[in-house]
């Protein structure tokens, strides 16, 4: 198992946790006004640490090691551990955060994307939850993957899809209610599915929600057009895109917007959850959107072609991956290969192998 998280800020707003039974990546963002409500230097860092610690506390009885919390300089009030599904545990943590965090406007409230993978021994299955633009990249045991090119990717797979949320903004209004799916139900066939196999016979599945990226794309397109028209650097247009970013932030947990954890539970029902039999999962990678940039860079120069290639690449270069990403970002400081809102973001990854049972 390999895990690492890096930042260039005073406080890392990402949190990672890895044990024998539980793996979490949480990527938080402060409000747009950058107000430090909790007087900790970063509301985002406070929020991500709070959520992860609450999740660990809830699942602590089933853990097999002695590590029960992430290292943090923050102190949190004691609360009874919440039990239930991963969705219920996360919702409880958000409600507890709301009781502590000062009342403030939506633009000032921190939020967090999160990916959770939990080995539930009593049920003989892995359980996962992905909310926002964190990623779970899962490789199934080859023999467990039905090879049937006639069926769309995501249909009749060994992974059970409990909830799917469409990310297409044009269809967001009609998707206010949960889109329930099990292993015998098709995924989103009207475009991108959040539950994506490269090809019908691929053992690798990428589970994420690209809605946030699609909203960021509005600002990035504006910045590219301004940069071209003014013949000025791309990142120099960032301040000019603030109105777009504020408008995007107002879409947080709205029916026509994107879903992400915050000091509410309005995201509930739009998280991606499911189960994988214990003997069906071979490898998994959990990472933040900051690390996800590496796949784009590697595909741009044709080092890799697919999600399966990317999983193999990062497992082959485990301890080097964050350095490789840093180098690619430096080489693309003008943001021409990968347009982005800043040179680099907090970056986190967990890689774990599951030996055959």
């Amino acid at each position: 198992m390999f895990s690492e998280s890096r930042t260039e800020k005073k406080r890392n707003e990402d949190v990672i946790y890895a044990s024998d039974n539980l793996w979490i990546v949480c990527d938080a963002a402060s409000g747009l006004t950058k107000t430090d409500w909790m007087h900790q230097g970063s509301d985002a860092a406070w929020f991500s640490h709070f959520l992860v610690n609450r999740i660990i506390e809830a699942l602590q009885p089933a853990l097999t090691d002695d590590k029960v919390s992430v290292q943090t300089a923050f102190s949190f009030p004691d609360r009874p551990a919440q039990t239930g599904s991963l969705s219920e545990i996360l919702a409880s943590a958000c409600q507890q955060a709301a009781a502590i965090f000062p009342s403030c406007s939506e633009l000032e409230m921190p939020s967090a994307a999160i990916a959770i993978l939990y080995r539930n021994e009593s049920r003989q299955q892995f359980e996962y939850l992905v909310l926002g633009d964190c990623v779970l990249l899962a490789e199934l045991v080859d023999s467990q993957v039905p090879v049937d090119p006639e069926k769309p990717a995501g249909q009749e797979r060994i992974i059970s899809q409990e909830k799917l949320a469409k990310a297409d903004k044009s269809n967001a209004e009609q998707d206010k209610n949960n889109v329930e799916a099990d292993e015998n139900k098709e995924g989103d066939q009207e475009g991108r599915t959040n539950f994506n196999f490269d090809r019908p016979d691929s053992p690798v599945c990428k589970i994420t929600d690209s809605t946030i990226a699609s909203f960021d794309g509005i600002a990035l397109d504006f910045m590219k057009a301004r940069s071209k028209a003014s013949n000025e650097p791309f990142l120099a247009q960032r301040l000019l895109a603030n109105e777009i970013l504020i408008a995007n932030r107002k879409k947080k947990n709205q029916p026509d917007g994107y879903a992400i954890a915050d000091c509410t539970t309005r995201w509930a029902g739009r998280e991606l959850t499911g189960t994988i039999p214990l003997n069906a999962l071979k490898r998994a990678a959990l990472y933040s959107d900051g690390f996800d940039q590496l796949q784009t860079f590697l595909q741009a120069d044709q080092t890799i072609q697919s999600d399966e290639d990317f999983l193999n690449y990062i497992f082959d270069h485990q301890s080097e991956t964050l350095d490789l990403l840093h180098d690619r970002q430096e080489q693309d400081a003008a943001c021409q290969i990968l347009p982005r809102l800043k040179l680099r973001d907090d970056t986190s990854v967990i890689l774990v192998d599951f030996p055959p049972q």
Side-chain angles (χ1 to χ4, degrees), residues 10-294:
K10 290 183 178 179
R11 285 197 181 277
N12 193 344
E13 296 172 349
D14 283 8
V15 175
I16 58 174
Y17 178 80
S19 74
D20 292 339
N21 288 64
L22 178 63
W23 303 268
I24 307 171
V25 171
C26 187
D27 172 12
S30 292
L32 287 182
T33 58
K34 306 298 181 184
T35 303
D36 184 15
W37 285 95
M38 299 306 291
H39 308 293
Q40 301 287 341
S42 167
D43 288 339
W46 178 91
F47 188 56
S48 58
H49 281 81
F50 182 89
L51 292 183
V52 173
N53 273 282
R54 285 296 189 248
I55 294 166
I56 295 168
E57 290 168 4
L59 297 170
Q60 175 184 343
L63 298 181
T64 58
D65 64 5
D66 296 324
K67 188 177 181 182
V68 297
S69 64
V70 294
Q71 293 184 346
T72 176
F74 303 111
S75 59
F76 306 120
D78 293 333
R79 289 290 297 267
Q82 172 71 30
T83 58
S85 68
L86 296 181
S87 295
E88 290 168 337
I89 290 168
L90 179 59
S92 175
C94 290
Q95 290 171 331
Q96 293 174 37
I100 302 168
F101 198 83
S103 176
C104 65
S105 71
E106 287 286 335
L107 292 180
E108 296 173 297
M109 187 186 300
S111 57
I114 191 165
I116 307 169
L117 181 65
Y118 172 54
R119 191 202 320 253
N120 190 326
E121 296 284 357
S122 64
R123 295 183 178 178
Q124 287 294 292
Q125 65 187 21
F126 290 98
E127 299 166 3
Y128 66 83
L129 180 150
V130 176
L131 179 60
D133 54 5
C134 281
V135 178
L136 170 60
L137 194 59
E139 180 180 20
L140 306 183
V141 175
D142 290 343
S143 61
Q144 297 288 344
V145 183
V147 179
D148 189 346
E150 298 302 316
K151 289 184 169 60
Q155 183 182 2
E156 294 189 5
R157 293 288 178 170
I158 198 73
I159 299 181
S160 168
Q161 302 169 74
E162 294 173 3
K163 294 174 184 175
L164 274 175
K166 294 181 182 178
D168 187 344
K169 292 183 299 203
S170 65
N171 294 325
E173 182 62 32
Q174 69 189 49
D175 294 328
K176 287 193 285 187
N177 299 322
N178 285 2
V179 179
E180 298 294 336
D182 58 29
E183 57 267 84
N184 295 314
K185 186 174 180 180
E186 293 186 10
D188 177 3
Q189 299 302 311
E190 298 180 13
R192 187 199 62 82
T193 173
N194 297 291
F195 187 89
N196 183 56
F197 288 85
D198 282 327
R199 59 183 192 276
D201 62 340
S202 173
V204 174
C205 173
K206 187 171 186 177
I207 305 170
T208 189
D209 184 348
S210 63
T211 316
I212 295 175
S214 66
F215 276 106
D216 283 345
I218 301 171
L220 295 172
D221 287 345
F222 168 83
M223 291 169 63
K224 283 188 284 187
R226 286 284 308 179
S227 176
K228 183 177 180 180
S230 64
N231 199 29
E232 294 178 350
F234 175 81
L235 287 179
Q237 316 307 312
R238 170 62 177 76
L239 287 177
L240 298 176
N242 268 354
E243 287 189 12
I244 297 173
L245 296 173
I246 290 171
N248 288 350
R249 184 63 65 96
K250 290 179 179 179
K251 297 287 188 179
K252 176 170 63 75
N253 292 327
Q254 297 300 314
D256 61 344
Y258 62 93
I260 198 163
D262 63 5
C263 294
T264 74
T265 55
R266 290 196 302 267
W267 53 265
R270 298 173 67 184
E271 70 275 29
L272 309 178
T273 64
T275 61
I276 309 171
L278 287 187
N279 64 354
L281 186 58
K282 183 177 181 180
R283 296 186 296 185
L286 296 86
Y287 46 91
S288 63
D289 68 317
F291 183 82
D292 198 25
Q293 293 180 10
L294 181 59

